[in-house]
Amino acid sequence: MAGCRSSSAANAQLASRHHTAVSKSLSKRRHDDDAGMAPARGAPEVTLQEGAAPGSAMARKAAGKAPEEILLDWKREQALLKARVVDQDTEAWQLDPAFSGLQRVGGVDVSFVKDDSGSACASLVVLSYPELEVLYEDCRMVTLTAPYVSGFLAFREVSFLVDAMQRLQEREPCLMPQVLFVDGNGVLHHRGFGVACHLGVLTDLPCIGVAKKLLQVDGLENNALHKEKIQLLKAGGDSFPLMGGSGTVLGRALRSHDHSTKPLYVSVGHKISLEAAVRLTHSCCKFRIPEPVRQADIRSRDYIRRTQEVQGVPAPQSGRSKEAQRPKACPQGVSEEPAGTMFIEDRHCMLLGVYIPSAWDTFSHTGNTRCLRNTAIKCRRRSTHRDL
């Protein structure tokens, strides 16, 4: 297959621990004990499942393999992980019409550097619910060495998103999201296991796949009949089922906002029903795209721009980057870190008030993490897919 190159160990490394049975508990208990911190009500304890960390035996075995062999390995891994997908509601808040008990929603995104498909920014944001205000942000430049293959996006990108979740669990367990929105498909996929399913199974968190374009699988087509159904979606919240030729409902086409005529394609990722996934997606849309995904995209693009400025690389101006909710500098308790980061601490969380990019930060790929919730110090804040 064109573009599939696996001769180097670096390319194989992104195959991230697939085929190796690992159950790795994140350091929530240790972190809480060290910080004297009680987890927030409803904060889930995440356990990483197989494939959650890079540099495994499978990655070493993949070195030197032919592209066809790697694809076979990926297909086997998808089949193994697919057996763990739960497509029903598992949390009490999912059963409540108003999602009572849901306090934090997360969004992830990977944005690419222009003219460089191997360089990208992986971002994770956590928002309050129902206010949809940004509580936490983690952006980090990453190098993608695995090729893009239609239907196998997770093997190229998901390990970086899992890493971001692990950093959040270790640093600020009180801000762990109770559900993740993923810019991509869930069970609406060639083999019923898209990137939203993959990330959900690896993190054991409820996940929702939200795609901007219809993935034409199982007889689904963006034909005249499909377009007629879209025209019948008159108001935000209206939707219709995406039933494949097999008779299985793979997702729903959702008009997410009154002023948006293009639908979103919502599908189950993990540990949530399709009905709850569609309702929650609609309730998280200030615009067409759900706010968790929208903010992750805005911030990742903005981080790429700032990183390129530090490196002296001209970056295209992005109007969307101005929409990000940026915290203003807090006047008290500010200290400067070697990585060029200014932050405020209280007994509950670390609040990152101002981020100053530096060459050290850029080239060490340490990235940018902001935690915007502070229960003791008030800091004013201004408002501001792919074939998977």
Side-chain angles (χ1 to χ4, degrees):
M1 181 174 296
C4 259
R5 297 186 299 272
S6 58
S7 58
S8 67
N11 181 40
Q13 184 177 3
L14 200 59
S16 73
R17 196 165 276 219
H18 300 287
H19 281 278
T20 302
V22 176
S23 291
K24 179 179 180 182
S25 176
L26 296 175
S27 55
K28 173 177 170 49
R29 182 174 300 175
R30 175 178 57 78
H31 182 282
D32 290 352
D33 291 343
D34 292 344
M37 180 191 305
R41 180 169 62 89
E45 182 167 358
V46 173
T47 300
L48 297 188
Q49 306 295 327
E50 284 107 318
S56 68
M58 168 155 183
R60 293 190 294 271
K61 286 165 58 179
K65 280 190 174 182
E68 295 79 8
E69 292 182 82
I70 291 181
L71 289 182
L72 285 175
D73 286 342
W74 287 358
K75 287 180 180 179
R76 294 189 193 101
E77 185 62 22
Q78 282 185 336
L80 288 172
L81 295 179
K82 180 183 176 181
R84 302 183 185 179
V85 171
V86 177
D87 60 0
Q88 300 176 356
D89 293 324
T90 59
E91 312 298 323
W93 59 263
Q94 296 167 341
L95 304 176
D96 188 278
F99 298 115
S100 177
L102 178 61
Q103 298 176 324
R104 296 170 306 283
V105 294
V108 295
D109 185 66
V110 177
S111 293
F112 290 85
V113 175
K114 186 178 181 180
D115 300 324
D116 184 357
S117 61
S119 296
C121 178
S123 62
L124 163 69
V125 297
V126 181
L127 281 64
S128 62
Y129 186 87
E131 301 83 4
L132 300 178
E133 295 181 353
V134 178
L135 304 175
Y136 176 92
E137 159 184 359
D138 183 344
C139 294
R140 182 164 298 208
M141 295 302 298
V142 298
T143 300
L144 295 90
T145 53
Y148 170 72
V149 181
S150 177
F152 297 94
L153 181 71
F155 292 90
R156 178 171 166 85
E157 299 180 0
V158 80
S159 63
F160 301 113
L161 304 177
V162 172
D163 287 345
M165 291 296 299
Q166 183 170 352
R167 288 192 295 272
L168 170 57
Q169 177 71 77
E170 292 172 346
R171 296 171 182 174
E172 302 297 340
C174 60
L175 294 181
M176 284 298 295
Q178 295 162 275
V179 61
L180 280 173
F181 284 88
V182 182
D183 180 18
N185 290 301
V187 298
L188 176 55
H189 180 265
H190 307 282
R191 287 166 296 283
F193 192 75
V195 64
C197 297
H198 209 129
L199 184 61
V201 170
L202 294 187
T203 60
D204 200 33
L205 281 174
C207 269
I208 300 172
V210 181
K212 295 182 282 292
K213 294 183 179 181
L214 176 65
L215 183 58
Q216 301 184 67
V217 297
D218 193 20
L220 293 174
E221 293 184 39
N222 189 16
N223 53 20
L225 177 59
H226 182 77
K227 293 174 181 177
E228 286 178 12
K229 291 181 179 180
I230 292 175
Q231 295 301 316
L232 296 176
L233 303 178
K234 299 301 184 182
D238 290 351
S239 67
F240 63 83
L242 300 169
M243 181 175 291
S246 64
T248 302
V249 176
L250 301 176
R252 293 189 75 89
L254 167 70
R255 181 165 180 168
S256 58
H257 194 274
D258 287 340
H259 302 295
S260 175
T261 57
K262 295 181 179 179
L264 295 176
Y265 297 96
V266 181
S267 57
V268 170
H270 186 49
K271 299 182 74 172
I272 192 168
S273 67
L274 180 59
E275 186 271 338
V278 171
R279 286 194 299 113
L280 183 58
T281 300
H282 176 234
S283 70
C284 287
C285 288
K286 294 181 178 180
F287 303 94
R288 180 195 177 204
I289 306 301
E291 199 65 10
V293 172
R294 178 174 169 271
Q295 286 296 328
D297 175 72
I298 288 171
R299 291 160 187 272
S300 62
R301 292 175 185 272
D302 185 57
Y303 187 71
I304 290 174
R305 177 186 59 78
R306 291 185 286 113
T307 298
Q308 290 182 325
E309 287 176 354
V310 170
Q311 294 175 325
V313 178
Q317 294 296 321
S318 173
R320 290 197 299 170
S321 65
K322 299 178 182 179
E323 302 174 26
Q325 301 169 351
R326 293 295 173 201
K328 291 185 178 180
C330 294
Q332 300 176 352
V334 177
S335 62
E336 186 168 354
E337 289 295 296
T341 303
M342 300 177 69
F343 58 89
I344 295 171
E345 295 187 45
D346 71 1
R347 64 187 180 88
H348 293 290
C349 300
M350 179 182 295
L351 170 63
L352 212 58
V354 179
Y355 175 73
I356 306 174
S358 66
W360 183 92
D361 183 70
T362 299
F363 291 109
S364 64
H365 296 273
T366 56
N368 172 27
T369 304
R370 291 184 179 88
C371 171
L372 306 182
R373 193 187 77 169
N374 191 322
T375 57
I377 303 173
K378 292 184 178 179
C379 177
R380 293 181 300 160
R381 295 194 294 268
R382 61 184 173 87
S383 293
T384 54
H385 64 31
R386 294 162 295 185
D387 181 3
L388 309 175

